[in-house]
Amino acid sequence: MTDESEADAILSVRNLEKHYPVRSGLLRRVTGHVKAVDGVSFDVHEGETVGLVGESGCGKSTTATSLLRLEEPTGGEVYFEGEDITEYGSDDEQAFRRRAQMVFQDPNSAFDPRMTVGESVAEPLGIHGLRDGDRQRRIVEDLLERVGLSADDADQYPHEFSGGQKQRIALARALILNPDLLVADEPVSALDVSVQAEILSLLDDLQSELGLSMLLISHDLGVVRQVCDRVGVMYLGELVEMAPTEELFANPQHPYTEALLASIPDPDPRNRGDAVELTGDVPDPSDPPSGCSFHPRCPRVVPPADYDFPEDSFREVLDFRLSVENGDVDGDEFASPADVRDEFDLPPELPDGDADAVISAAIEDVLAGDTGAAADRLGDAFETVCEREAPELVETDAGHPAACHLHGAASEHAPPELSASDDD
Amino acid sequence: MTEPLLSVRDLHTQFDTDDGTVRAVDGVSFDVEAGETVCLVGESGSGKTVACESITKLVPQPPGKITGGEVVFDGEDLTGLSGKALREYRGGRIGHVFQNPQGALDPVYTVGDQLVEAIRLHRDVPKSRARERAVELLDRVGIGDVEERIDDYPHQFSGGMKQRVVVAMALACDPDLLIADEPTTALDVTIQAQVLRLLDELQDERGMAMLFVTHDLGVVAEIADRVVVMYAGKVMETGDVYQIFEDPSHPYTRALLECLPGRGRALETIGGSLPDPTDPPDGCRFHPRCPHAVPKCETGSQPDFEDVGGDHEVSCVLHGDEHRLPDAMLEVADDD
């Protein structure tokens, strides 16, 4: 990152880490760490909306709360207008709290049911030193109107409003101190589609009106596409790709991004069933896979350079290897080598004779009941760069960074058909 | 045409509340043919879940009450059945999958025990045979290492895996109809794609019919054969999935399609909100929010269904006899 882009950024996050200790046993000793956020870096520029997307458990919400210091990060720096907020004293921190605000997912639990909406919305004003009731009231009424409610609503209680209206009130409260940065964590996930659309357009309007910078966390790529200028994709605590929104949708560079995009149900009944399906769940974050943490699910996992695999056929071979290594394969269940190939979607014969010889020998081992030998044989032959080395976030040919061995230093392993397959 | 597997006719379900009577389902009719997938779509509060739960009387009574209409399943009217007779259907010929898999599983029993219980409720088989069947089912819904995992407790499974277990339970007795109420809403998109694929495969394999409730039109496009669009307790439009997506005829259906986020253009919002359920408006329920409303929409009751071609029915005065130029009107309105 150059100094110039940092100077321009209202928020710069550098190698942010939030590790939670895992304790076990009688003495509650720390036996490991859940790396909820593990080295995330990005910038939010003045007036820009940046989105963070990913499956649940990928660390996007923790990123938001750590960068606001609602939870103390365990490593890395966060610069707000060039100053490191992790070194703020209490006065500076109070000023920062005024200028950076957050909106949460569930508007139903965001309000004290015994306070009127006006009291709730005005509360931050009192905390930050404006205690004149009449002035508070004027500001509250002005903001309620701005978010599409009426000034009289200030005297109502939260339960009298629908979910969408409550989210508007939550927005009014977040905006009452005139912040420069708004962090919105899943602001529309708890709402109906029709109401989502309203809140998203409201966010858009408010942002251009007030010149806000915004960080939007969502698991819904449709939402992100609607409001964000740039999007970062997170997987298991790491940022795997970052790109301007339309570029990310048109030309995803990381296989995980591709799979995420392909999983969005397409509202066109004539385009059915063309989704790339991701197998399995997000791995256990306290015991992440080696190398690229996405490799156990990746449909584009890089084959070893010694063999010649047609595109995307290595996944089945690797799945077979992993099952054998985990001891999930029982030779007694299969009658013939063809059965084994069938079960693991392996072709009757791989085009590369050497690779096929290894597979055949391993299947023989399995049928003979010697899974250990099969595991060794497969492990020696089919080791992939994806499990050895963690990829760095590097600039790709598409002009934006992604963390994948298909790009970067290991890209000589990339199947040549890669770019062609992107076109369809 | 042969008799549909499930035929819901003029169903009324209401709830007595302190604020008055809520007519959550107010004269809803639809059919589900054997082997087909029907999607009930609408915003929250439109009555789609209550409509589904009324089929096997899962609506808590009181405060709920099914006040009229009939639900004919394979020739028998379920509304007249006793609790005991209904239990034969629930989990037997009619399987249920709910939105929140956590709430559908008992945390203090292993998933294996729960499956065995579900099987033995409806089938007179010994425990060992039921357990074999449980293993088969879990294997079929894609739980790896079944022999090891069958004795795990629900909290040891991830959300997607729990929903697979719930699907396995619903399939335990080879139902003819699977009622799935927002089964993927609580799941991540990648896991949602897996579960939808699984349901689709299972349906093909077993020739099972599916009544699928969702608010997500993307999901509807992915799986539905036919679609029933509900609003404020009434059906607005029914048609096959292509008719609904390519030729939406009710202004509400159009509005729902317009507000799908992420299609790379400015969002149209519907504006306003669902009417007060205790005091719905006269005329078409949607008229206070409808951009095409004419005075006729504000009086009387919900307009009668008009067939706009090939079993595609819509409840809107713009398609009625007195307005013979509906298409022209709607197209003009589309341009702005």
Side-chain angles (χ1 to χ4, degrees):
Chain A
M1 240 4 109
T2 62
D3 288 336
E4 198 182 331
S5 75
E6 254 179 58
D8 185 34
I10 182 163
L11 181 80
S12 296
V13 178
R14 290 290 168 271
N15 295 317
L16 187 71
E17 278 179 13
K18 177 69 189 173
H19 296 181
Y20 295 98
V22 178
R23 292 171 193 276
S24 61
L26 191 61
L27 299 171
R28 312 303 295 156
R29 284 214 175 91
V30 175
T31 52
H33 282 94
V34 172
K35 296 178 176 172
V37 179
D38 196 22
V40 166
S41 303
F42 63 91
D43 293 318
V44 180
H45 298 277
E46 200 105 10
E48 185 186 39
T49 306
V50 173
L52 283 182
V53 288
E55 288 168 278
S56 11
C58 72
K60 49 194 195 306
S61 292
T62 311
T63 304
T65 48
S66 314
L67 69 85
L68 291 178
R69 279 183 79 192
L70 297 178
E71 286 184 279
E72 208 57 41
T74 49
E77 296 102 46
V78 179
Y79 298 95
F80 185 70
E81 294 191 333
E83 291 171 43
D84 188 350
I85 68 155
T86 52
E87 286 167 9
Y88 274 163
S90 65
D91 284 354
D92 289 337
E93 186 175 341
Q94 172 126 1
F96 172 66
R97 291 258 171 270
R98 195 171 68 230
R99 299 186 54 198
Q101 289 290 328
M102 187 155 178
V103 177
F104 297 93
Q105 174 168 2
D106 183 7
N108 297 309
S109 60
F111 294 96
D112 185 334
R114 286 165 304 184
M115 283 163 81
T116 65
V117 162
E119 285 165 358
S120 282
V121 174
E123 205 179 10
L125 287 174
I127 291 168
H128 287 276
L130 195 152
R131 296 194 178 81
D132 177 346
D134 291 339
R135 282 180 65 195
Q136 278 194 1
R137 176 79 189 191
R138 276 203 302 279
I139 300 174
V140 167
E141 288 183 349
D142 172 54
L143 262 173
L144 285 178
E145 281 172 2
R146 268 190 194 218
V147 297
L149 299 168
S150 79
D152 300 338
D153 289 336
D155 298 318
Q156 316 282 314
Y157 286 87
H159 73 265
E160 295 172 74
F161 295 91
S162 68
Q165 286 170 325
K166 275 188 240 185
Q167 200 58 298
R168 287 173 189 267
I169 300 167
L171 266 175
R173 181 172 58 184
L175 296 176
I176 198 152
L177 295 169
N178 212 355
D180 300 302
L181 175 70
L182 184 68
V183 176
D185 187 0
E186 304 268 13
V188 296
S189 313
L191 309 174
D192 252 317
V193 262
S194 60
V195 184
Q196 277 189 8
E198 286 172 29
I199 299 289
L200 292 177
S201 353
L202 175 66
L203 271 176
D204 235 10
D205 295 347
L206 287 171
Q207 188 188 19
S208 44
E209 224 172 281
L210 307 173
L212 276 174
S213 309
M214 201 153 74
L215 179 65
L216 185 112
I217 317 277
S218 181
H219 68 279
D220 186 334
L221 285 148
V223 167
V224 162
R225 186 175 197 175
Q226 199 66 50
V227 292
C228 294
D229 302 312
R230 281 191 305 137
V231 182
V233 180
M234 285 187 71
Y235 187 74
L236 226 58
E238 288 167 1
L239 204 56
V240 297
E241 182 164 2
M242 183 104 198
T245 310
E246 281 315 309
E247 207 175 301
L248 186 90
F249 278 81
N251 196 6
Q253 295 296 302
H254 196 285
Y256 178 61
T257 314
E258 256 174 49
L260 261 189
L261 292 178
S263 322
I264 310 176
D266 185 351
D268 180 351
R270 298 204 189 268
N271 281 344
R272 273 186 194 180
D274 51 358
V276 182
E277 195 177 348
L278 273 189
T279 47
D281 278 324
V282 181
D284 179 359
S286 65
D287 181 23
S290 63
C292 170
S293 49
F294 186 53
H295 88 260
R297 299 171 81 190
C298 181
R300 293 264 198 110
V301 63
V302 178
D306 315 350
Y307 301 101
D308 184 21
F309 285 95
E311 195 196 2
D312 294 352
S313 71
F314 183 60
R315 181 72 252 168
E316 284 77 31
V317 176
L318 190 64
D319 281 343
F320 177 55
R321 193 197 109 193
L322 295 174
S323 299
V324 170
E325 284 177 354
N326 293 336
D328 297 342
V329 184
D330 184 358
D332 300 339
E333 287 176 15
F334 302 103
S336 69
D339 279 359
V340 182
R341 286 184 188 252
D342 213 31
E343 172 73 22
F344 290 94
D345 289 330
L346 296 165
E349 195 179 340
L350 288 168
D352 186 316
D354 294 339
D356 198 66
V358 178
I359 295 277
S360 299
I363 292 176
E364 289 302 326
D365 286 340
V366 167
L367 290 175
D370 190 356
T371 31
D376 291 345
R377 197 185 290 278
L378 291 166
D380 287 347
F382 303 128
E383 197 200 29
T384 147
V385 62
C386 298
E387 61 186 320
R388 271 199 318 271
E389 293 164 28
E392 298 282 324
L393 200 60
V394 292
E395 207 67 25
T396 62
D397 298 341
H400 63 260
C404 179
H405 286 303
L406 291 173
H407 311 287
S411 64
E412 64 268 25
H413 300 303
E417 300 90 332
L418 183 66
S419 52
S421 75
D422 276 341
D423 292 339
D424 56 34
Chain B
M1 202 155 47
T2 53
E3 280 291 292
L5 178 68
L6 175 77
S7 175
V8 175
R9 285 283 154 265
D10 199 29
L11 184 70
H12 288 78
T13 305
Q14 63 184 44
F15 293 87
D16 291 322
T17 70
D18 293 344
D19 299 327
T21 303
V22 174
R23 294 194 170 78
V25 174
D26 199 8
V28 164
S29 304
F30 59 88
D31 294 333
V32 182
E33 307 281 343
E36 82 172 343
T37 303
V38 174
C39 277
L40 281 183
V41 221
E43 291 169 271
S44 5
S46 58
K48 49 194 197 305
T49 294
V50 175
C52 256
E53 291 180 347
S54 301
I55 292 170
T56 50
K57 289 204 201 158
L58 286 173
V59 176
Q61 309 188 48
K65 199 167 157 199
I66 297 169
T67 52
E70 51 183 25
V71 177
V72 180
F73 179 76
D74 201 14
E76 185 161 23
D77 185 0
L78 301 185
T79 51
L81 291 185
S82 67
K84 186 162 179 292
L86 265 176
R87 277 198 291 279
E88 290 296 312
Y89 280 99
R90 291 182 201 139
R93 295 191 62 196
I94 303 179
H96 290 269
V97 178
F98 299 100
Q99 175 168 359
N100 181 358
Q102 182 65 61
L105 295 169
D106 190 327
V108 301
Y109 291 98
T110 65
V111 300
D113 286 346
Q114 296 185 52
L115 264 166
V116 167
E117 186 193 1
I119 295 165
R120 296 187 74 213
L121 265 177
H122 293 278
R123 296 267 199 280
D124 185 19
V125 291
K127 264 198 177 146
S128 58
R129 176 69 197 99
R131 194 179 154 95
E132 281 166 31
R133 170 100 177 120
V135 170
E136 270 169 48
L137 284 165
L138 288 175
D139 190 48
R140 179 59 200 95
V141 298
I143 307 271
D145 288 333
V146 178
E147 292 290 350
E148 272 171 44
R149 304 232 53 189
I150 189 167
D151 293 318
D152 282 350
Y153 289 89
H155 74 267
Q156 290 165 295
F157 289 83
S158 66
M161 284 294 159
K162 269 186 266 204
Q163 197 58 295
R164 285 168 191 263
V165 172
V166 173
V167 170
M169 279 172 89
L171 296 176
C173 297
D174 282 318
D176 298 315
L177 172 68
L178 184 71
I179 299 180
D181 188 356
E182 306 259 12
T184 59
T185 309
L187 308 175
D188 269 314
V189 271
T190 53
I191 309 298
Q192 165 170 287
Q194 292 174 10
V195 172
L196 289 179
R197 170 88 53 99
L198 172 70
L199 286 172
D200 196 42
E201 286 170 9
L202 290 168
Q203 193 182 16
D204 279 355
E205 253 168 57
R206 291 159 189 254
M208 171 175 80
M210 194 149 71
L211 179 61
F212 198 103
V213 177
T214 181
H215 66 275
D216 186 339
L217 285 161
V219 171
V220 175
E222 205 65 44
I223 59 160
D225 296 316
R226 281 192 311 118
V227 182
V228 177
V229 181
M230 282 186 71
Y231 181 79
K234 294 271 190 195
V235 174
M236 296 287 129
E237 182 169 0
T238 60
D240 75 30
V241 67
Y242 301 110
Q243 290 163 343
I244 296 291
F245 279 84
E246 289 162 10
D247 183 25
S249 299
H250 198 284
Y252 178 62
T253 315
R254 288 169 184 239
L256 269 186
L257 286 166
E258 285 299 319
C259 66
L260 281 177
R263 294 193 300 174
R265 57 198 177 88
L267 286 181
E268 292 288 327
T269 61
I270 300 184
S273 51
L274 278 165
D276 178 357
T278 58
D279 180 25
D282 282 342
C284 173
R285 295 268 159 106
F286 187 58
H287 86 255
R289 297 169 80 184
C290 182
H292 309 294
V294 295
K296 191 175 187 298
C297 300
E298 295 166 22
T299 53
S301 51
Q302 186 70 31
D304 289 336
F305 279 102
E306 294 292 333
D307 199 327
V308 291
D311 267 348
H312 182 189
E313 293 193 318
V314 55
S315 163
C316 178
V317 296
L318 295 181
H319 294 279
D321 292 334
E322 291 163 46
H323 292 80
R324 259 303 145 210
L325 294 170
D327 285 343
M329 266 187 83
L330 289 170
E331 257 148 42
V332 170
D334 266 356
D335 290 340
D336 55 38

